[in-house]
Amino acid sequence: MLIPIEELRGNSGKLCGGKASALGFLHRNGMIVPPGTCISTTAYNEYVDRTGLRGRILLEMNRKPFEEMRWEELWDLSEKIKLMFARTPLPPEMEKELEAELFRRFGKKAVAVRSSAPGEDTAKTSFAGVHASYVNIRGTPEILRHLRLVWASLWSDTALLYRKEMGLDIFNSAMAVLVQETVEGRSSGVAFGMSPENKSEAVVEAVYGLNKGLVDGTVEPDRWTLSRETGDIKTHMPAEREKTVVAGNESRGEEGTELKNLPEALKKKPPLTPEEVLEVYSLTGKAEALFGTPQDVEWTFRESTLYTLQSRPITTLLQEDRDEKRRWYLSLRRSFENLKELRAAIEEKYIPAMQAEALDLEKENLSATSDPALAEEIEKRAEIYRKWHDIYWEEFIPFAHGARLFGKVYNETVNPKDPYEFADLLSGTEMLSLERNRKLEEMAGRLREKPELLKGLSAFKENKDKEEPVQENETELENETELENETELENETELENETELENETELENEFRKELEAFISRYGGSYSESPEAKEGLYRLLLEMASRPLLPPVAGKKDPDRIRRLKEKFLSSFEDEKQKFAAELLDLARASYRLRDDDNIYLGKIEAELQRAFLEGRKRLEKRGLKEPEIPPARTFREPALVKELTKALCNPAYRPGPEKLPRKPQIPGTAGITKENVRPRQLLGNPSGPGTAEGHARVILKDSDLFDLKAGEVLICDAVDPNMTFVVPLCAAIVERRGGMLIHGAIIAREYGIPCITGVPDATKLIKNGDYLSVDGYLGIVTVLKRRDL
């Protein structure tokens, strides 16, 4: 199971992986590498087979077809599988064998525990930055614990995505692990024997301390370019030398690394002398000569000795187009420092600016503008929406990784039974959607308290439901009839009744004003649609028809949250507790903004929709109808916004049929036929604990949302933050898309509602009215009774 580096041969890739095999090859050819040994893939396979992990992994992997899984679902799946490794000890005989050999080789020396999967660091698949490695680990128990963590990284979200993109066999993957003495270099870095940007140049990058800071982006490197032909240094781009990554303090028993301020004496001094730059460049030349292709080499200087830490082909040179398209998977990881910067930008810059811009747009009286001015305003708003939409994806979405980074750290340090326990520590965080839902509940409460108001609102709803288009002469006749009836009523009604009626009308008007203020503060794109506004009336009536819900604030057990916090913080020692507390604070902000940011963007979206609908209304007054004008749902589409503004500015303009959109396909509804088999039981990912039963309410379009009745099970493609106001009415939530940290799961946990995500074809296989049982612990939806049976 263990093969020393010096015994590795060129055909050892399947047993020891690319990284270990390459270092063994370099060692045999006279290059200096840190001493170490490889724990082969044989050990991995024996471990997963003897402990039963292989079967448990297959069970989780088959909850949903792998090719249909979104990244959020893969992340959940990954955390569940990784925790299996962390909580499953090695078989006793295997542990005894490994422990004896590792202690004989390393004793109490600090070591690096590094991934070396078959296929890693090869010309076809580099796996750069995908699998885990740990440095400065001491003692055989800790080495064996980190061995399982490296094995677990074979199933990380990024590793799964990479294998999926590269078409590799995920189910038969295995992992070798390289254990080497830690070389605590004074300067470290990477070198490219051929620059990915200019094939006539080589590149050397260096930082003070360990390489980790350069690799994860927390420390900016100095950068030198050299001529490949002569080896002359062409340019030197100095860094802003502020930080360095060093090994934990051995005297305090600290493992891992820490980020420290660079001493003042080193801030103005490059980490390498010109002679050392040339020595590193020479190292890449030797590696290229041995492997026959330009190499990406990691290295470190300890005193004056240059060590080779890793060597792999430069894949971007061998397969530029294919590999570059797959670099996106690395963006799934965000460093703590990077996330702190994102948070500051979001909270201090972007959110205030977005709110101010939405408020300015809301003040505009669109009905008073001319058609050309309205067209200009629509295009302006479309541009503003696109700007904020791009910022949302570039800044807000990446910040969501703060909660996931916390989940990863929590699971690796606390080692809980439940891989999603970390989410309980994040829950209870105040969010705009919870504030909005409390406001809705307050309004529903007033309807319960004042029957006359409830009656008036019900009558308003009924009248709106009965309204039909009428011809102009019919309208005049109705108006005359109404006037006669009103006159007769005035003559017959007592003054007291008139006063009572006026009071009720005033009460209703005040309530409607309150609802308009609610929409102004919280409303998303749905709020500008007349149908959606009427839907809100129906929703309030439905909320008023059932008993008052207890307030969400304080519903989470504060003692449990406090205990979870203490358990997490106590897993860190001394100074690292400060990092843990900062990470928890950042994760709570990430968790909160994962929901709030959509509401902020929704207000910008609503203002674009308001202008778009005003434009449609004017075109309808000219006699135009769909499909001559773009449908209301297309207000986000730039090409159709352009068609609308052209028609506003030019009365003779008509969009051609080829420019109008086809009816959108509802996700999860393709291929629906009466002959489809509809299973009784559906499997998904448990995302909100609890069990519940109720009739299904399937959401296929926005307006369906307002038909939800209290106690029904919400079935949808995915819960958008602008939809979460209906969650208090739900018995449970089932979503086709998956993820522990998507909006529906977050809000369901806040209300203690069972939630299952990632249910394949949920909106296709479940019909309105089906009676369901939802098990949020196991992720199982059971159809107890079909609507049509």
Side-chain angles (χ1 to χ4, degrees):
M1 284 192 291
L2 278 79
I3 307 174
I5 283 180
E6 56 269 20
E7 295 180 14
L8 294 176
R9 296 293 179 262
N11 61 354
S12 59
K14 288 186 178 180
L15 274 177
C16 292
K19 186 181 295 178
S21 298
L23 288 175
F25 182 63
L26 293 174
H27 173 78
R28 291 199 313 276
N29 284 278
M31 297 177 73
I32 303 173
V33 301
T37 188
C38 178
I39 302 173
S40 70
T41 55
T42 303
Y44 172 86
N45 287 320
E46 182 176 338
Y47 169 71
V48 296
D49 286 334
R50 290 179 60 184
T51 59
L53 268 183
R54 195 184 298 277
R56 292 168 64 192
I57 290 169
L58 286 173
L59 179 64
E60 293 299 332
M61 290 289 293
N62 284 296
R63 283 181 177 269
K64 185 175 185 177
F66 185 74
E67 63 275 6
E68 294 180 16
M69 289 189 190
R70 293 167 53 87
W71 173 65
E72 295 95 333
E73 297 168 88
L74 286 177
W75 188 86
D76 285 6
L77 174 68
S78 166
E79 285 305 305
K80 193 178 294 185
I81 294 174
K82 287 191 300 177
L83 195 60
M84 291 179 190
F85 281 86
R87 293 188 61 83
T88 304
L90 292 164
E93 304 87 352
M94 186 178 179
E95 182 177 23
K96 187 176 179 180
E97 180 184 348
L98 289 172
E99 195 169 44
E101 183 60 23
L102 290 169
F103 183 78
R104 186 185 67 79
R105 288 192 64 90
F106 301 108
K108 295 184 179 181
K109 292 179 181 177
V111 300
V113 184
R114 311 173 68 195
S115 66
S116 184
E120 191 172 331
D121 293 349
T122 65
K124 293 182 179 179
T125 53
S126 73
F127 283 90
V130 170
H131 297 132
S133 291
Y134 300 89
V135 300
N136 196 36
I137 307 302
R138 291 184 177 86
T140 50
E142 281 302 298
I143 293 174
L144 292 179
R145 184 173 77 86
H146 284 84
L147 165 68
R148 286 183 285 126
L149 292 179
V150 175
W151 280 342
S153 72
L154 185 68
W155 302 93
S156 71
D157 53 329
T158 47
L160 290 172
L161 281 167
Y162 188 83
R163 285 181 171 82
K164 179 181 176 183
E165 290 292 319
M166 299 300 288
L168 301 176
D169 186 346
I170 294 167
F171 294 96
N172 291 316
S173 300
M175 174 71 80
V177 177
L178 186 60
V179 183
Q180 293 177 279
E181 291 183 19
T182 295
V183 177
E184 193 170 349
R186 59 171 170 82
S187 297
S188 308
V190 297
F192 293 88
M194 181 183 289
S195 168
E197 299 168 358
N198 185 336
K199 295 182 181 180
S200 69
E201 296 177 341
V203 176
V204 174
E205 294 183 338
V207 296
Y208 281 107
L210 301 179
N211 235 356
K212 184 176 183 296
L214 186 155
V215 173
D216 67 17
T218 55
V219 180
E220 181 186 357
D222 277 55
R223 193 172 197 265
W224 292 265
T225 59
L226 301 91
S227 167
R228 270 180 57 84
E229 184 177 352
T230 66
D232 294 337
I233 296 175
K234 297 174 69 175
T235 63
H236 171 214
M237 185 179 296
E240 293 184 11
R241 305 180 195 102
E242 298 289 341
K243 302 285 184 180
T244 181
V245 173
V246 299
N249 192 303
E250 182 178 0
S251 64
R252 296 199 298 265
E254 293 179 351
E255 292 185 341
T257 62
E258 54 183 315
L259 184 68
K260 303 186 93 174
N261 291 325
L262 194 65
E264 289 296 327
L266 298 179
K267 289 184 177 180
K268 295 182 180 180
K269 181 181 177 182
L272 296 179
T273 65
E275 293 75 20
E276 288 171 336
V277 173
L278 294 177
E279 189 176 350
V280 172
Y281 168 67
S282 176
L283 184 71
T284 66
K286 292 176 185 176
E288 182 176 339
L290 289 170
F291 289 109
T293 185
Q295 296 288 296
D296 166 3
V297 179
E298 289 188 24
W299 52 268
T300 190
F301 273 105
R302 181 163 66 184
E303 297 180 350
S304 60
T305 302
L306 178 60
Y307 288 83
T308 302
L309 304 179
Q310 186 168 313
S311 184
R312 57 175 169 243
I314 303 174
T315 53
T316 51
L317 297 175
L318 300 174
Q319 44 187 25
E320 292 173 358
D321 293 337
R322 188 181 73 176
D323 208 58
E324 281 302 313
K325 290 177 182 177
R326 295 189 170 98
R327 289 292 179 182
W328 65 273
Y329 71 91
L330 289 176
S331 68
L332 299 179
R333 291 184 174 180
R334 293 275 173 167
S335 72
F336 180 58
E337 295 299 322
N338 178 241
L339 286 166
K340 287 201 296 185
E341 292 173 3
L342 274 177
R343 179 185 182 180
I346 289 168
E347 292 183 340
E348 298 170 15
K349 176 182 175 183
Y350 293 125
I351 288 178
M354 198 188 304
Q355 288 178 308
E357 195 147 27
L359 188 60
D360 288 343
L361 295 175
E362 188 179 351
K363 293 175 182 176
E364 294 288 338
N365 182 5
L366 299 178
S367 61
T369 60
S370 65
D371 287 355
L374 178 61
E376 186 178 339
E377 182 68 20
I378 292 171
E379 292 193 358
K380 181 188 85 172
R381 290 175 180 230
E383 186 62 34
I384 290 171
Y385 170 71
R386 285 192 291 272
K387 175 190 74 175
W388 284 113
H389 181 271
D390 291 346
I391 290 173
Y392 170 79
W393 279 97
E394 292 167 7
E395 307 288 342
F396 287 72
I397 289 293
F399 185 59
H401 297 309
R404 293 186 170 93
L405 174 63
F406 175 76
K408 177 179 181 293
V409 173
Y410 187 93
N411 286 341
E412 288 186 4
T413 54
V414 175
N415 200 19
K417 290 182 181 179
D418 178 2
Y420 307 135
E421 182 179 273
F422 75 91
D424 291 339
L425 182 50
L426 299 182
S427 63
T429 304
E430 182 58 32
M431 293 183 285
L432 278 177
S433 56
L434 298 181
E435 178 185 289
R436 175 194 60 197
N437 291 1
R438 281 197 299 271
K439 186 65 177 175
L440 273 175
E441 186 59 52
E442 288 172 10
M443 289 191 286
R446 276 193 282 284
L447 291 177
R448 291 189 203 97
E449 294 168 3
K450 297 186 179 296
E452 68 277 14
L453 182 57
L454 183 60
K455 182 180 177 182
L457 201 61
S458 299
F460 172 80
K461 170 188 170 291
E462 290 171 6
N463 289 336
K464 296 294 286 186
D465 291 343
K466 293 177 182 176
E467 281 180 0
E468 294 180 359
V470 293
Q471 298 298 322
E472 194 171 319
N473 57 349
E474 292 176 336
T475 304
E476 290 176 5
L477 182 61
E478 287 176 7
N479 290 340
E480 290 174 7
T481 304
E482 286 177 12
L483 186 59
E484 291 173 4
N485 291 339
E486 287 174 7
T487 305
E488 184 178 346
L489 181 64
E490 287 173 6
N491 293 333
E492 294 177 355
T493 305
E494 297 290 337
L495 182 61
E496 292 179 7
N497 291 339
E498 290 180 5
T499 304
E500 183 180 343
L501 182 63
E502 288 173 4
N503 290 339
E504 289 178 7
T505 304
E506 184 178 348
L507 198 60
E508 290 172 20
N509 288 337
E510 287 178 3
F511 188 84
R512 292 194 185 101
K513 286 179 183 178
E514 185 177 4
L515 190 57
E516 289 297 326
F518 168 86
I519 290 171
S520 175
R521 174 163 173 74
Y522 303 109
S525 59
Y526 67 85
S527 64
E528 292 304 324
S529 161
E531 295 81 7
K533 286 184 179 180
E534 291 169 23
L536 279 176
Y537 280 102
R538 297 204 307 272
L539 178 70
L540 280 166
L541 291 172
E542 183 63 30
M543 293 178 71
S545 70
R546 54 104 176 100
L548 176 68
L549 284 177
V552 176
K555 188 172 183 178
K556 293 290 178 181
D557 181 358
D559 289 335
R560 171 172 163 74
I561 293 175
R562 176 183 53 76
R563 288 194 301 271
L564 289 176
K565 181 178 179 181
E566 289 175 355
K567 182 165 70 168
F568 173 63
L569 294 179
S570 65
S571 301
F572 297 83
E573 297 192 6
D574 303 327
E575 295 178 4
K576 291 192 175 181
Q577 280 198 359
K578 180 182 177 182
F579 158 77
E582 289 180 355
L583 178 60
L584 174 58
D585 180 64
L586 181 136
R588 283 175 167 166
S590 171
Y591 188 82
R592 179 185 72 250
L593 284 167
R594 183 73 184 96
D595 200 65
D596 288 359
D597 55 13
N598 280 265
I599 294 177
Y600 293 126
L601 181 62
K603 295 183 74 173
I604 296 286
E605 190 179 64
E607 286 304 316
L608 168 59
Q609 187 185 29
R610 182 164 73 94
F612 190 89
L613 293 177
E614 175 67 24
R616 274 178 50 87
K617 184 168 70 174
R618 295 188 187 186
L619 294 180
E620 287 170 349
K621 286 183 178 178
R622 295 182 192 171
L624 275 68
K625 297 180 180 179
E626 293 183 24
E628 293 178 298
I629 54 176
R633 60 180 166 79
T634 62
F635 70 93
R636 302 178 192 86
E637 299 178 29
L640 295 172
V641 167
K642 201 74 178 174
E643 291 300 307
L644 184 75
T645 56
K646 283 181 181 178
L648 278 172
C649 294
N650 183 0
Y653 181 79
R654 297 290 186 276
E658 72 282 354
K659 296 179 181 178
L660 295 171
R662 295 180 179 180
K663 187 175 181 180
Q665 176 67 53
I666 304 298
T669 61
I672 298 177
T673 66
K674 292 182 180 179
E675 291 75 27
N676 285 152
V677 176
R678 292 172 61 198
R680 287 284 182 182
Q681 202 167 74
L682 305 175
L683 198 62
N685 296 310
S687 300
T691 59
E693 292 184 7
H695 290 97
R697 174 62 60 183
V698 183
I699 308 301
L700 297 179
K701 56 184 185 298
D702 290 347
S703 59
D704 293 341
L705 201 63
F706 299 103
D707 294 327
L708 183 80
K709 305 298 181 187
E712 290 184 328
V713 177
L714 178 66
I715 312 293
C716 62
D717 183 59
V719 174
D720 181 276
N722 289 318
M723 295 166 57
T724 54
F725 55 86
V726 302
V727 169
L729 289 173
C730 301
I733 297 173
V734 176
E735 300 182 67
R736 182 187 68 83
R737 283 164 49 183
M740 185 67 178
L741 295 174
I742 63 174
H743 308 291
I746 289 174
I747 203 73
R749 286 193 299 275
E750 293 296 333
Y751 283 94
I753 294 171
C755 178
I756 302 175
T757 64
V759 179
D761 297 324
T763 56
K764 171 182 174 181
L765 299 174
I766 299 172
K767 304 294 184 183
N768 268 329
D770 287 351
Y771 194 76
L772 310 176
S773 168
V774 179
D775 189 331
Y777 296 107
L778 298 177
I780 297 173
V781 182
T782 304
V783 183
L784 300 176
K785 185 177 181 181
R786 296 285 185 200
R787 176 197 62 182
D788 48 4
L789 294 180

